[in-house]
């Protein structure tokens, strides 16, 4: 964690750390962030995930296009983004560092449009391109670059897709 040391998240068994390529399960993150994990992994009455990001990995694996894709192309073409819903051996779902970059895990950083744009971009998912060219994106970028600017006057991805109004004014944004 940002406040602790390596062992808080990675443990002490170097064989396990190397076998997992240093990856930490969402279940580990849930140990300190149970409400955020509960929001992300919320299921409906039928047992299906409510959060579309939590479905990312499972839906990708089931996709016919993915199944016929050469192994060498799978990471760049699909897994790099769909791993936001990765299912770990411990049964936990989600790759928290998809939005909260490793070792910092900043909420402010995760709320930046560029964080969303690492996956929501390109010819098949052009959301960040459309937002950047919209009035909202132009105002945000202009204000962000202007000394003393106020980028908060422009809506960003989280304004609509993770509104705090769901939890009440002044409460944290929801992961659902």
């Amino acid at each position: 964690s940002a406040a602790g040391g390596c062992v808080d998240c990675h443990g002490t068994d170097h064989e396990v750390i190397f076998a997992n390529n240093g990856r930490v399960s969402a279940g580990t993150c849930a140990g300190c962030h149970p409400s955020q994990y509960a929001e992300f992994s919320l299921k409906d009455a039928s047992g299906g995930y409510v959060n579309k990001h939590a479905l990312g990995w499972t839906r990708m694996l089931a996709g016919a296009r993915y199944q016929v894709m050469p192994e060498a192309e799978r990471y760049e073409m699909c897994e790099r983004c769909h791993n936001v819903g990765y299912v770990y051996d411990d049964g936990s779902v989600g790759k928290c560092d998809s939005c909260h970059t490793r070792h910092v895990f900043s909420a402010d950083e995760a709320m930046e449009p560029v964080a969303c744009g690492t996956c929501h971009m390109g010819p098949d998912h052009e959301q960040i391109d459309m937002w950047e060219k919209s009035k909202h994106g132009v105002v945000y970028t202009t204000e962000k670059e202007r000394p003393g600017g106020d980028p908060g006057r422009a809506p960003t991805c989280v304004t609509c897709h993770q509104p705090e109004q769901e939890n009440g004014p002044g409460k944290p944004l929801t992961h659902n």
Side-chain angles (χ1 to χ4, degrees):
S1 73
C6 305
V7 298
D8 292 344
C9 298
H10 295 281
T12 57
D13 187 335
H14 284 89
E15 286 185 31
V16 172
I17 295 168
F18 289 121
N20 292 330
N21 292 319
R23 280 186 240 108
V24 173
S25 78
T28 300
C29 298
C32 293
H33 305 280
S35 62
Q36 291 86 349
Y37 179 74
E39 288 173 350
F40 185 87
S41 61
L42 181 68
K43 293 184 178 183
D44 62 20
S46 68
Y49 288 109
V50 174
N51 186 324
K52 289 181 182 178
H53 285 115
L55 293 167
W57 188 258
T58 305
R59 289 225 173 126
M60 176 200 70
L61 292 176
R65 185 173 173 194
Y66 176 81
Q67 292 175 11
V68 298
M69 186 177 290
E71 185 75 31
E73 294 177 15
R74 287 181 172 179
Y75 177 77
E76 284 300 322
M77 297 298 293
C78 305
E79 295 172 2
R80 185 176 62 82
C81 295
H82 285 267
N83 68 11
V84 69
Y86 186 79
V87 179
Y88 291 90
D89 290 340
D90 66 5
S92 64
V93 64
K95 190 170 176 293
C96 303
D97 64 358
S98 292
C99 303
H100 303 278
T101 57
R102 292 178 199 140
H103 304 123
V104 174
F105 300 102
S106 164
D108 289 337
E109 190 178 82
M111 293 188 314
E112 285 291 323
V114 70
C116 303
T118 60
C119 291
H120 295 274
M121 55 78 180
D124 56 342
H125 303 311
E126 52 196 47
Q127 293 90 344
I128 193 70
D129 303 316
M130 293 184 307
W131 179 82
E132 287 173 344
K133 291 173 179 74
S134 74
K135 289 294 181 192
H136 300 290
V138 170
V139 169
Y140 180 85
T141 302
T142 302
E143 289 292 318
K144 190 122 177 130
E145 293 174 356
R146 184 173 64 84
D150 179 17
R153 62 180 272 260
T156 64
C157 309
V158 299
T159 304
C160 297
H161 297 283
Q162 287 187 299
E164 66 178 313
Q165 290 81 2
E166 291 180 18
N167 290 335
K171 300 255 175 111
L173 301 175
T174 178
H175 284 81
N176 180 8

